[in-house]
């Protein structure tokens, strides 16, 4: 199904979906034409986790497909899911669109899903980029995170679904009252660079739409995703990843600790770590042209 948006800001964006064999709808947005770029948003995110200013995409002649994972937006929940399930959803989306191979990028909670897709469907990826991705964490690294993430991932590591839900509920309820309220409360101890990005009116406009869409049917998708990311990652075989991968990360990131990212990249022979300096989680928003150019350069 394709439904063009009537809102002028999103008039160039197509809202699409397909039905998987198990009956689940899986949705995404698509904008532009030309070189295909598959984007996996952060957590909590949705198919509307797209920039209000998309000139960095149009200037490079990109067809940008932004997906959403089970439980967010129009994409039905899949309780107990890990990473393999969504990687297969992504392959089905590419089949539906008639795309054999794509450039691949994902940020924050989209990071492990980039790894999963690259591991399970390596022939579909030209080159990949992860920005400020979430890596597996060691116990002492939770203390380096913002309090919301630390508490949620400790509960997830213990397999405590009720505990994860209890931690996330106040933020979810705040975001129901005002889409950015819960995020601002959670990020109040974040680096100054993150707070500066969060004050950008264009960022706020896009983030509001993304959050409203993500929670259209409740918070179950957020709970499921946190459990998956805090789990054992057993369905991501890092040795199967042969794709050229660049991982961008800020040293001061308090959502996804930098030392854990460096440790994970060291396990990936085709990956390169690029530091974003002593900056935080949202710095890639300001560096997108540079990040895209580096990604596209690896497709030659």
């Amino acid at each position: 199904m394709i439904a063009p948006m009537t809102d002028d800001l999103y008039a160039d964006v197509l809202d699409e979906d397909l039905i998987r064999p198990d009956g689940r709808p899986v949705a995404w947005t698509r904008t532009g034409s030309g070189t295909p770029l598959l984007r996996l948003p952060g957590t909590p995110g949705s198919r509307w986790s797209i920039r209000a200013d998309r000139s960095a995409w149009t200037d490079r002649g990109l067809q940008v497909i932004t997906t959403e994972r089970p439980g967010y937006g129009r994409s039905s929940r899949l309780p107990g899911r890990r990473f393999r399930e969504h990687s297969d959803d992504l392959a089905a989306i590419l089949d539906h669109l008639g795309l054999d191979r794509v450039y691949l990028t994902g940020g924050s909670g989209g990071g492990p899903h980039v790894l999963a897709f690259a591991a399970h469907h390596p022939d579909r990826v030209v080159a990949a980029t992860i920005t400020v991705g979430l890596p597996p964490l060691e116990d002492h690294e939770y203390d380096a995170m913002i309090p919301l993430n630390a508490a949620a991932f400790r509960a997830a590591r213990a397999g405590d679904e009720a505990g994860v839900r209890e931690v996330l509920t106040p933020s979810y309820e705040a975001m129901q009252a005002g889409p950015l309220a819960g995020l601002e409360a959670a990020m109040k101890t974040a680096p100054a660079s993150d707070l500066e990005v969060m004050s950008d009116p264009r960022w706020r406009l896009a983030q509001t739409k993304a959050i409203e869409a993500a929670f259209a049917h409740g918070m179950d998708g957020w709970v499921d995703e946190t459990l998956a990311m805090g789990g054992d990652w057993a369905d991501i075989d890092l040795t199967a990843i042969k794709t050229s991968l660049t991982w961008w990360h800020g040293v001061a990131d308090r959502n996804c600790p930098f030392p854990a990212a460096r440790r994970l990249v060291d396990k990936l022979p085709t990956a390169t770590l690029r530091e974003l300096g002593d900056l935080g989680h949202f710095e890639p928003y300001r560096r997108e042209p540079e990040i895209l150019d580096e990604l596209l350069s690896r497709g030659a």
Side-chain angles (χ1 to χ4, degrees):
M1 179 179 74
I2 301 178
M5 295 297 296
T6 57
D7 181 50
D8 287 346
L9 184 60
Y10 296 97
D12 62 318
V13 181
L14 297 174
D15 189 5
E16 306 177 330
D17 64 24
L18 61 79
I19 304 299
R20 298 288 283 133
D22 60 4
R24 289 182 298 116
V26 175
W28 65 92
T29 56
R30 184 161 54 99
T31 182
S33 60
T35 303
L37 172 67
L38 184 64
R39 293 179 69 248
L40 313 187
T43 304
S46 72
R47 66 196 187 281
W48 290 106
S49 296
I50 61 179
R51 299 178 70 97
D53 175 7
R54 294 182 288 282
S55 58
W57 304 350
T58 57
D59 289 351
R60 288 159 180 79
L62 297 176
Q63 176 186 184
V64 179
I65 302 127
T66 303
T67 60
E68 64 187 13
R69 295 183 285 279
Y72 293 118
R74 283 214 321 272
S75 300
S76 292
R77 185 188 184 194
L78 187 59
R81 65 99 172 166
R82 290 297 186 248
F83 303 105
R84 175 62 188 262
E85 298 91 340
H86 187 57
S87 70
D88 292 342
D89 289 344
L90 296 174
I93 290 171
L94 298 188
D95 290 343
H96 179 83
L97 296 175
L99 298 172
D100 292 329
R101 300 177 74 226
V102 295
Y103 289 90
L104 175 66
T105 185
S108 191
H113 296 88
V114 167
L115 297 176
F117 189 69
H120 291 296
H121 300 279
D123 57 328
R124 311 301 294 266
V125 184
V126 178
T129 287
I130 292 175
T131 55
V132 297
L134 180 79
L137 301 173
E138 297 180 354
D139 287 342
H140 68 279
E141 289 168 330
Y142 292 116
D143 293 334
M145 304 178 87
I146 61 173
L148 174 69
N149 284 3
F153 282 109
R154 282 194 174 100
R157 185 172 182 135
D160 181 4
E161 180 175 348
V164 170
R165 191 175 297 274
E166 181 179 357
V167 169
L168 297 181
T169 293
S171 287
Y172 167 71
E173 291 178 342
M175 284 187 274
Q176 291 296 288
L180 296 182
L183 182 61
E184 289 170 333
M187 294 290 288
K188 64 183 179 182
T189 62
S193 61
D194 283 342
L195 302 180
E196 183 178 339
V197 170
M198 292 172 67
S199 70
D200 181 339
R202 293 171 298 180
W203 183 91
R204 296 177 68 83
L205 180 67
Q207 192 70 23
T208 295
K209 186 173 184 67
I211 290 174
E212 287 177 341
F215 294 135
H217 298 292
M219 65 179 292
D220 288 340
W222 195 13
V223 173
D224 294 340
E225 184 147 278
T226 302
L227 287 166
M229 293 189 299
D232 60 15
W233 291 38
D235 66 343
I236 303 178
D237 179 4
L238 297 180
T239 66
I241 298 175
K242 310 301 182 185
T243 300
S244 167
L245 171 67
T246 298
W247 188 304
W248 301 75
H249 215 100
V251 175
D253 194 325
R254 294 202 62 216
N255 290 61
C256 303
F258 178 78
R262 181 170 54 198
R263 185 174 59 249
L264 178 57
V265 171
D266 286 345
K267 297 178 181 178
L268 299 169
T270 61
T272 300
L273 179 64
R274 291 209 174 190
E275 294 186 18
L276 291 167
D278 192 22
L279 298 168
H281 197 62
F282 294 142
E283 182 61 18
Y285 173 79
R286 294 192 283 203
R287 303 273 288 273
E288 179 141 353
E290 175 188 357
I291 291 169
L292 284 175
D293 286 341
E294 192 279 335
L295 171 60
L296 296 171
S297 73
R298 286 182 281 123

